[in-house]
Amino acid sequence: MKIMNRLRPVIVVIALIVASVFWIRTSLGTCETLDRWLGRSACVAKYTIQDMRPLGFATMVQAPDNTLRIFGYNGEKSPLVATQIAFDLTTGVEKDRKPLPFAQMAYRAIPALAGDRVAVICLSSDICDRQRPQGYILSSQDGAVLAEVPVADALSWTFPDEERISVRLDAAVLADSHVAAYPDPGTGGIILRKFPGAVETERLVPESARQVPAVATAFAVKASLSGRYIAVINSATGDRDIGTRLDVWDVGAKKMINQIITDSGHRLDTNAIWSRDERHMIGFRSFTDSDPDEGAALYVLKVRD
């Protein structure tokens, strides 16, 4: 008994040391507390949005007043409800949350090039055939319905008043031009194509072209508002030990200006977007790396000065 009494303080100290080491190790992960305090990575902010499962690819748009309008599904249990959320990045506060006009269904969010509007279009053919209208155009500022879209193909729809070409979900149109950027899985770079005809005009290849993950990957490119900058999101989907590689390109200068690699367990989804000032990438932590009970983790990464 006396021995146990003598050992008790030692056991407590050891337990505290183990707990501290675990906390430090966890907090050094990309966008966690110590990581942000120490400026260890490019992460400058992390927010948690409760009861939200974001869409893939196009998930959110930053309105002209900098409000982030996020699209996804409310909650994690069936039936899921198609939902939009207004989130204030300056305060980290959810401003409002409301269901979309249509009932539970798969849908795609398509932001306007200027970021002032976003179209939400039905994506499930079985339900779409019975759904009228098949989509809506919403204000990105307050989420109000601006117009109905009677019939639409969610994979090819574009705003009628924009001279914009239709591209794959993993590609991006450069502002109002007829040039689109496509990911090049073979090199981790970018293929620029001019329309009509999808003629290849340029191929931007990183020096580390052969260092892309050798497992199945989720590739996507994201263009900034002006079209000058492109981010290539390379997230390994088949290996939790590999983080996301984010390559940032200045298209005009034809050079990579930054490369960010997140820690394992902190991969980014391909639904990341550029901020309106073209200095940050805003994206959700991969759903497979997250605990649904803890909410959706939203990362803000500084990619250029």
Side-chain angles (χ1 to χ4, degrees):
M1 195 67 174
K2 290 181 179 180
I3 295 176
M4 286 303 298
N5 288 336
R6 292 175 181 174
L7 288 176
R8 187 172 290 115
V10 177
I11 295 173
V12 170
V13 170
I14 292 174
L16 288 173
I17 291 174
V18 171
S20 298
V21 170
F22 177 78
W23 181 84
I24 291 172
R25 183 176 181 181
T26 302
S27 295
L28 283 174
T30 302
C31 277
E32 299 299 337
T33 306
L34 279 181
D35 176 68
R36 299 196 309 274
W37 286 355
L38 299 174
R40 175 177 166 271
S41 73
C43 186
V44 295
K46 175 189 175 183
Y47 305 104
T48 301
I49 301 177
Q50 299 295 340
D51 298 320
M52 180 65 172
R53 181 168 182 174
L55 290 180
F57 289 102
T59 294
M60 51 194 158
V61 60
Q62 193 170 22
D65 69 349
N66 290 324
T67 296
L68 196 65
R69 188 152 295 274
I70 305 169
F71 296 89
Y73 299 95
N74 192 58
E76 292 298 329
K77 296 181 180 179
S78 184
L80 298 176
V81 179
T83 301
Q84 58 171 319
I85 291 175
F87 191 81
D88 190 336
L89 279 175
T90 58
T91 62
V93 173
E94 184 178 313
K95 296 167 66 175
D96 70 59
R97 176 185 298 232
K98 48 192 171 187
L100 293 178
F102 43 51
Q104 46 187 293
M105 64 175 68
Y107 71 100
R108 180 187 176 197
I110 307 170
L113 290 173
D116 58 334
R117 298 159 295 161
V118 60
V120 287
I121 309 291
C122 178
L123 195 57
S124 173
S125 58
D126 291 339
I127 300 177
C128 290
D129 290 342
R130 303 192 299 269
Q131 177 76 21
R132 294 292 186 275
Q134 291 185 357
Y136 298 86
I137 298 175
L138 310 176
S139 164
S140 61
Q141 192 154 324
D142 59 13
V145 176
L146 301 177
E148 294 182 349
V149 181
V151 180
D153 180 351
L155 297 179
S156 61
W157 190 90
T158 60
F159 283 89
D161 60 342
E162 291 182 347
E163 292 187 5
R164 177 161 52 158
I165 54 180
S166 178
V167 296
R168 299 180 335 214
L169 292 176
D170 61 349
V173 179
L174 306 190
D176 255 334
S177 71
H178 286 271
V179 176
Y182 286 78
D184 181 6
T187 65
I190 301 168
I191 301 173
L192 298 179
R193 297 185 181 276
K194 189 171 183 177
F195 288 77
V199 178
E200 181 178 328
T201 60
E202 192 84 42
R203 201 172 274 245
L204 305 179
V205 180
E207 293 181 3
S208 54
R210 297 305 168 191
Q211 296 178 21
V212 294
V215 295
T217 57
F219 258 114
V221 296
K222 300 291 179 175
S224 66
L225 196 62
S226 69
R228 176 177 176 179
Y229 303 104
I230 294 179
V232 181
I233 303 171
N234 179 358
S235 282
T237 58
D239 193 339
R240 286 177 176 265
D241 293 331
I242 300 176
T244 293
R245 190 177 105 179
L246 187 67
D247 294 342
V248 182
W249 289 83
D250 183 325
V251 179
K254 300 179 182 178
K255 69 175 183 178
M256 186 189 297
I257 57 175
N258 200 357
Q259 183 178 88
I260 298 167
I261 300 177
T262 69
D263 293 315
S264 61
H266 295 270
R267 293 171 294 183
L268 292 178
D269 266 336
T270 51
N271 53 24
I273 66 168
W274 281 88
S275 61
R276 293 188 70 86
D277 64 6
E278 302 189 328
R279 297 182 182 279
H280 300 84
M281 290 296 295
I282 307 166
F284 281 98
R285 182 181 180 182
S286 172
F287 185 71
T288 55
D289 286 345
S290 305
D291 182 349
D293 294 333
E294 295 179 358
L298 184 68
Y299 293 170
V300 181
L301 304 174
K302 185 175 182 179
V303 295
R304 52 179 294 270
D305 294 327

